[in-house]
Amino acid sequence: MPSIPGIYCRRLCSVVATALLLTSPNAGLTAQGSQDAIAIDSSALQRLGEQFVANNRAGGLSVAIVRDDTVRYFNFAGGPSACAQSPNQNTVYEIGSITKVFSSLLLANAVAEGRVELQDDIRKYLTEEYPNLQRDGTPVRLVHLVETTSGLPDNIPDLTSLVQTEGPNRAPRAIVERWQRYGARQLLTDLHHVTLDHTPGVTSRHSNVAATLVGFILEKVFAQPYEKLIQTYIEEPFGMNSGTGSGRGRAAVAGCNAAGVVMPAIDSRYIRSAGGLRYSSADMARFARAQLASTSAALRLSQQATGESAGTGLGFNWRMSPGRDGALVLRASGGTFGSSSYIEVRPDAGYALVLLTNQAGVESMLYDLAVQIRRAVR
């Protein structure tokens, strides 16, 4: 049975899928640059998209395939469902934990500008004493926050009791309401009571708290709100639309859990730097193209591994590993209560892939789909 997905209540509860969507493909194709630059077995990709939407009860699926300066878009509609969509490359989805890659790139910009150093103890940027933010003589450093090795808990406030009392269909709304009432002041108070799970820098573990602290520290270092930093350092230079704000909220598709229940959107400033951004496949394709170009020191830094876990490189919230040809592959995935997302960047091959769907809990299936799409691209 799939679990309620994403960055917020992963592994906390399980749900049962009750219906299988019939699919009607809306395989749209748009390109920037020469379409000949990306040779695709279109019939194979069409089949893969249709199968994904059908097998995973997805309301919609948007695909962006990038090769150097060229992008091709494919979109697949699902139905009937409360979350059925006929998406295109401008349809906006929540990207979940891929937000952490954006926040990490902001930190890389702060390093490139000499505002911070990766090895800084995070307590340098906190106004109170936190003797608990170290273990075995090793403090939590900025690098640990974006390397997923901080030892910090996944969520503050803890969400376990809400999931247990409210159940999988009602808990997300209760959690969103709690986040709306929570903020930096409460976080800094509750941070005094944290016990690190392990020595920082040793074990990789998902933590929204770590990414939330990245956002908090960046706002302090730059003396600007997180939303402005995203706009200045990422969206405007890369030609992306805003990933926040009410306008993007109105353009975003509704998302469903595995049972087909419409889920609330994530729109809390508190969780924004951990998983609160939302973009279209066109936006994400522009982000991927910037990753391939790597024209800035910050981008190049953000693609460097700073740690390792089970043979996989860790750094700036990317999972980094060599492909069959030994070349670098950057991967990240995300999920919210009603969405799943995946991005893969292969700088040496000039290739990137973005997958967005308004179905929760299918991150691993998106990875499988990415592998199959790679085979269809020649």
Side-chain angles (χ1 to χ4, degrees):
M1 295 190 298
S3 62
I4 281 192
I7 60 174
Y8 309 108
C9 51
R10 183 172 288 143
R11 298 184 302 275
L12 295 180
C13 58
S14 56
V15 293
V16 179
T18 59
L20 179 66
L21 297 184
L22 300 175
T23 63
S24 58
N26 178 34
L29 163 59
T30 307
Q32 296 174 347
S34 172
Q35 292 189 18
D36 294 336
I38 307 179
I40 298 175
D41 184 340
S42 297
S43 62
L45 200 146
Q46 178 82 9
R47 182 177 64 256
L48 290 172
E50 292 175 16
Q51 289 175 345
F52 177 88
V53 175
N55 294 342
N56 297 291
R57 304 164 298 281
L61 169 68
S62 292
V63 179
I65 302 173
V66 184
R67 176 151 284 167
D68 298 320
D69 289 331
T70 302
V71 185
R72 291 184 69 175
Y73 300 102
F74 292 82
N75 294 279
F76 301 88
S81 165
C83 290
Q85 302 289 333
S86 295
N88 58 48
Q89 66 264 27
N90 297 313
T91 300
V92 175
Y93 300 83
E94 295 178 314
I95 65 168
S97 273
I98 294 178
T99 298
K100 294 179 174 67
V101 174
F102 283 68
S103 300
S104 298
L105 180 53
L106 291 182
L107 183 64
N109 275 277
V111 173
E113 293 180 5
R115 297 174 184 265
V116 302
E117 294 184 5
L118 281 179
Q119 296 301 322
D120 284 346
D121 185 328
I122 67 169
R123 293 174 293 186
K124 176 180 178 179
Y125 303 99
L126 305 178
T127 57
E128 302 174 27
E129 297 293 325
Y130 291 92
N132 56 319
L133 296 185
Q134 64 84 35
R135 183 163 172 169
D136 302 324
T138 302
V140 179
R141 304 183 188 278
L142 290 179
V143 67
H144 300 142
L145 296 182
V146 295
E147 191 185 75
T148 70
T149 62
S150 68
L152 290 163
D154 196 3
N155 290 293
I156 298 177
D158 183 69
L159 307 175
T160 307
S161 61
L162 273 181
V163 174
Q164 292 174 341
T165 58
E166 297 293 332
N169 293 334
R170 295 192 304 271
R173 194 164 302 280
I175 292 169
V176 168
E177 291 173 355
R178 177 172 291 189
W179 280 336
Q180 293 288 4
R181 299 190 300 268
Y182 204 80
R185 180 177 298 179
Q186 294 91 331
L187 172 64
L188 294 176
T189 296
D190 291 344
L191 203 58
H192 286 290
H193 308 293
V194 162
T195 299
L196 299 183
D197 286 345
H198 53 77
T199 303
V202 173
T203 303
S204 176
R205 182 178 184 273
H206 186 274
S207 174
N208 290 319
V209 175
T212 298
L213 282 173
V214 170
F216 173 82
I217 291 169
L218 288 170
E219 288 188 329
K220 185 173 183 179
V221 167
F222 284 96
Q224 293 186 52
Y226 176 81
E227 296 82 358
K228 180 63 176 177
L229 295 175
I230 287 288
Q231 178 186 13
T232 301
Y233 285 92
I234 297 178
E235 291 169 349
E236 289 183 350
F238 300 168
M240 301 171 64
N241 291 302
S242 173
T244 63
S246 58
R248 293 300 265 181
R250 288 191 294 269
V253 296
C256 281
N257 67 6
V261 177
V262 177
M263 292 286 101
I266 307 303
D267 192 23
S268 167
R269 284 207 80 246
Y270 169 66
I271 203 72
R272 186 151 292 162
S273 63
L277 295 179
R278 49 202 175 203
Y279 293 109
S280 67
S281 59
D283 292 321
M284 291 300 296
R286 294 183 181 101
F287 181 76
R289 289 173 69 186
Q291 291 289 334
L292 291 176
S294 296
T295 55
S296 72
L299 276 165
R300 292 191 292 273
L301 173 62
S302 72
Q303 295 179 0
Q304 301 300 309
T306 58
E308 183 178 320
S309 176
T312 298
L314 304 173
F316 296 89
N317 276 288
W318 289 110
R319 294 277 172 168
M320 306 176 182
S321 60
R324 290 184 177 180
D325 58 358
L328 176 67
V329 182
L330 307 172
R331 295 185 176 92
S333 62
T336 67
F337 298 124
S339 76
S340 301
S341 54
Y342 177 83
I343 183 171
E344 175 180 308
V345 179
R346 297 172 179 259
D348 296 330
Y351 170 87
L353 174 67
V354 174
L355 302 173
L356 304 173
T357 181
N358 59 334
Q359 170 64 54
V362 294
E363 294 96 329
S364 62
M365 282 69 95
L366 288 178
Y367 173 80
D368 293 339
L369 178 61
V371 172
Q372 296 175 78
I373 288 177
R374 174 74 175 159
R375 296 171 183 156
V377 178
R378 299 185 295 273

